[in-house]
Amino acid sequence: MQGTSGSFELHVLRSKAHGQGSEGSTQVSRIVSPREAVPTMARPLQWYGMAMAFFHVSELTLEWLHNRQDFDFFGSLLISKPYVLAHSVGLLEFGVESWLLPSIKAHQGIMWIGVFFVVLGESIRKAGIIVGKHNFTHQIRTSNADKRNVLVKHGIYKWVRHPGYLGWFIWAPATQIVLMNPLCTIAFMVVAQRFFQERIPYEEQYLRKFFPQEYENYAKQTSSWIPGIA
């Protein structure tokens, strides 16, 4: 009986040791998880960085290809003080929320939704630039001295009146969805909508001047697809 009792006690001790080992393993995993969150936090930043780099390099390249005569290196980068400030605020929000509320940055599905809309916005905008060729410029034309200019109505322009603007309207907030920034996502959408609400009518007054009846008919048939703008 003593041998059986000793064997039973030894089995209990092993079970306890195994249980303590499992608990210890659980405790270790809880300690490691925040450390494992570091590459998780880095992934949105990587996609954001790639989106920004591709946008500006491709804008510069396409502008050089289609408008070499009027090419302006710094102007073609499309970087302004308000633009830098806006994206700086976005990075600040990402940093603060990652520190104080890391759980809201752990939803990788949201990041992939952002990546999808970044690609969609880029595709629409770049299609507009490629189809428009020299007719597409970063600066609004206030004179029609270049007789090569025509009203482009084929390709993507058949369905979208201002694909460059619509693409950017989608792309800009999408960069903040990639970072899972709820505040800046909303702010970017509001600011972009208000910006185009002023810019598009201003540009279209010149388009109606350059292509009087032709642009009037085109505008009636083709939507901008930007909320609040016909």
Side-chain angles (χ1 to χ4, degrees):
M1 290 296 292
Q2 288 180 353
T4 305
S5 176
S7 176
F8 176 76
E9 290 173 358
L10 179 61
H11 177 71
V12 170
L13 287 172
R14 286 177 177 173
S15 298
K16 287 183 177 180
H18 178 72
Q20 288 174 353
S22 299
E23 184 179 356
S25 175
T26 303
Q27 289 176 350
V28 170
S29 66
R30 288 175 182 171
I31 294 173
V32 171
S33 292
R35 294 175 60 188
E36 291 177 346
V38 173
T40 303
M41 297 298 180
R43 195 171 300 144
L45 286 174
Q46 291 171 348
W47 279 104
Y48 172 80
M50 287 189 290
M52 296 293 289
F54 180 82
F55 175 80
H56 291 288
V57 171
S58 60
E59 291 286 322
L60 186 72
T61 303
L62 290 172
E63 179 69 7
W64 180 80
L65 288 173
H66 296 148
N67 292 293
R68 296 186 192 181
Q69 294 179 347
D70 303 320
F71 180 72
D72 177 8
F73 180 85
F74 292 105
S76 299
L77 284 174
L78 300 180
I79 297 176
S80 63
K81 290 181 180 179
Y83 179 83
V84 172
L85 177 61
H87 282 278
S88 297
V89 172
L91 290 172
L92 178 62
E93 181 185 350
F94 179 82
V96 171
E97 290 174 350
S98 297
W99 179 42
L100 297 178
L101 300 168
S103 60
I104 71 172
K105 303 297 185 185
H107 303 287
Q108 296 295 297
I110 296 176
M111 182 196 74
W112 288 115
I113 291 173
V115 171
F116 170 79
F117 281 107
V118 162
V119 174
L120 177 64
E122 274 281 32
S123 300
I124 293 172
R125 181 174 173 84
K126 294 307 185 287
I129 296 175
I130 292 170
V131 172
K133 296 183 180 178
H134 64 274
N135 296 286
F136 187 101
T137 59
H138 288 147
Q139 303 298 324
I140 294 176
R141 282 198 175 107
T142 56
S143 72
N144 200 24
D146 189 346
K147 298 305 178 183
R148 299 179 304 157
N149 293 336
V150 296
L151 180 60
V152 182
K153 296 183 288 185
H154 64 278
I156 193 169
Y157 289 88
K158 186 177 180 180
W159 299 284
V160 184
R161 194 161 80 245
H162 295 285
Y165 294 156
L166 176 62
W168 197 90
F169 178 78
I170 296 171
W171 175 87
T175 62
Q176 300 307 300
I177 298 176
V178 169
L179 294 176
M180 293 169 277
N181 287 347
L183 299 179
C184 279
T185 297
I186 296 172
F188 273 48
M189 291 179 65
V190 171
V191 172
Q193 195 277 336
R194 290 182 178 177
F195 174 75
F196 290 126
Q197 203 168 26
E198 294 182 4
R199 185 179 178 92
I200 288 177
Y202 176 74
E203 180 175 357
E204 288 188 333
Q205 71 178 349
Y206 289 103
L207 290 171
R208 285 184 169 89
K209 180 180 178 182
F210 302 153
F211 313 102
Q213 193 58 46
E214 187 181 9
Y215 190 82
E216 196 66 43
N217 295 335
Y218 172 69
K220 289 178 180 179
Q221 297 171 358
T222 313
S223 175
S224 69
W225 298 104
I226 296 175
I229 303 171

